[in-house]
Amino acid sequence: MASTSSAKHSLKFLFDRTVTLYVGPHRKRMEIHKKLLASISPELNKHVNNDMKEGIEGIIYLPDDEEEVLTLFTEWAYTGEYSYEDDKPVVTPQESTQSKQNPWQNLRMHLRLYVFSDKFNISTLKKFAGSKFHENINLIAPHTDEDAVGLVMVIKFAFDNIPDSDLTLKFLGQYASWKLALLRGREEFNQLILTQTAFVKELLVNLTGPLPRPLPNCAEGAVDAV
């Protein structure tokens, strides 16, 4: 369970009422137990426990959030875990990535959960999603055009959505410096440089010559490199 209480105690929320979440611009409906939601998010607790219309009716509108993210959030809330299909790329002894799924899309999904949990002050989920992100990026040995495109996608999402003070951005700046030879000259990378001054700053700080692979232990939710 996401709660730190004993299993016997935490299951009491199952006898409580539910609240309705309307997710995304199309208002996709989702139900979740009120006490569970309130216990894991101080921000969402304010929405469900108040004397305003949404608190009385038990309805929360989340027009800017994505159905896929809320699905994984709900899975985590009830089980303490979330799974995203093939979210661990398989690495051969030669360190080449072999996966039916795009590992960079999987990394982006972990960051989407990371951003969502930061938005609603869900510290446990934020740490968990951050750990999954660093664990999985540590398994990838980028060397193909697809890797370059995927890495730029992840960096762009991170710098567009994560606060500047977050150490995840520092790590990604180091990572991009490590793989600069793979990224240099690519149109999508050039566009990133032109539009993301915060990323350029982190990149330049790390351009001090040949670099080893960066360790993710400087970022929140990170795990030690394997």
Side-chain angles (χ1 to χ4, degrees):
M1 303 297 302
S3 172
T4 57
S5 304
S6 67
K8 183 177 180 180
H9 175 73
S10 62
L11 288 176
K12 290 182 179 180
F13 72 80
L14 293 173
F15 297 94
D16 190 39
R17 58 178 286 197
T18 62
V19 296
T20 302
L21 310 179
Y22 287 101
V23 182
H26 301 295
R27 295 189 174 184
K28 193 68 176 290
R29 179 173 176 170
M30 177 181 290
E31 298 283 334
I32 187 170
H33 284 89
K34 178 180 178 179
K35 285 186 177 179
L36 176 63
L37 188 65
S39 70
I40 59 180
S41 171
E43 293 302 318
L44 291 173
N45 178 47
K46 296 176 185 177
H47 288 272
V48 298
N49 287 307
N50 61 64
D51 296 327
M52 300 176 67
K53 183 178 180 181
E54 64 178 2
I56 295 172
E57 296 182 353
I59 295 175
I60 301 177
Y61 293 97
L62 302 171
D64 299 324
D65 295 292
E66 301 170 89
E67 179 185 343
E68 195 170 25
V69 171
L70 265 294
T71 298
L72 294 179
F73 160 69
T74 304
E75 180 183 352
W76 171 83
Y78 281 97
T79 68
E81 175 66 90
Y82 69 83
S83 58
Y84 189 62
E85 187 176 4
D86 290 340
D87 67 350
K88 276 198 173 184
V90 178
V91 179
T92 69
Q94 292 76 29
E95 295 188 325
S96 62
T97 303
Q98 294 182 345
S99 176
K100 294 181 180 179
Q101 297 292 317
N102 183 336
W104 301 101
Q105 291 288 356
N106 297 329
L107 290 172
R108 184 174 179 271
M109 176 56 71
H110 295 312
L111 287 184
R112 286 163 67 188
L113 265 293
Y114 186 83
V115 169
F116 173 84
S117 58
D118 183 63
K119 175 181 177 180
F120 290 105
N121 193 18
I122 312 171
S123 58
T124 307
L125 177 57
K126 181 179 179 181
K127 183 176 181 180
F128 186 58
S131 178
K132 276 182 168 283
F133 171 78
H134 287 284
E135 178 184 355
N136 281 271
I137 198 171
N138 193 51
L139 296 175
I140 303 173
H143 65 285
T144 67
D145 289 343
E146 290 77 12
D147 288 328
V149 172
L151 177 55
V152 170
M153 174 191 67
V154 167
I155 292 172
K156 184 179 187 306
F157 177 84
F159 278 85
D160 282 346
N161 293 278
I162 296 176
D164 291 345
S165 59
D166 195 299
L167 291 177
T168 300
L169 302 186
K170 179 179 178 65
F171 167 76
L172 285 172
Q174 295 172 346
Y175 198 95
S177 298
W178 173 57
K179 280 298 171 182
L180 187 58
L182 179 65
L183 299 173
R184 186 185 289 117
R186 302 192 63 90
E187 181 179 352
E188 58 270 19
F189 183 65
N190 293 338
Q191 286 297 316
L192 181 64
I193 290 175
L194 290 173
T195 58
Q196 267 295 350
T197 55
F199 168 67
V200 173
K201 179 181 177 181
E202 289 294 342
L203 184 68
L204 292 176
V205 166
N206 291 285
L207 291 181
T208 57
L211 296 171
R213 183 182 187 121
L215 297 177
N217 56 7
C218 66
E220 183 171 356
V223 294
D224 291 336
V226 176

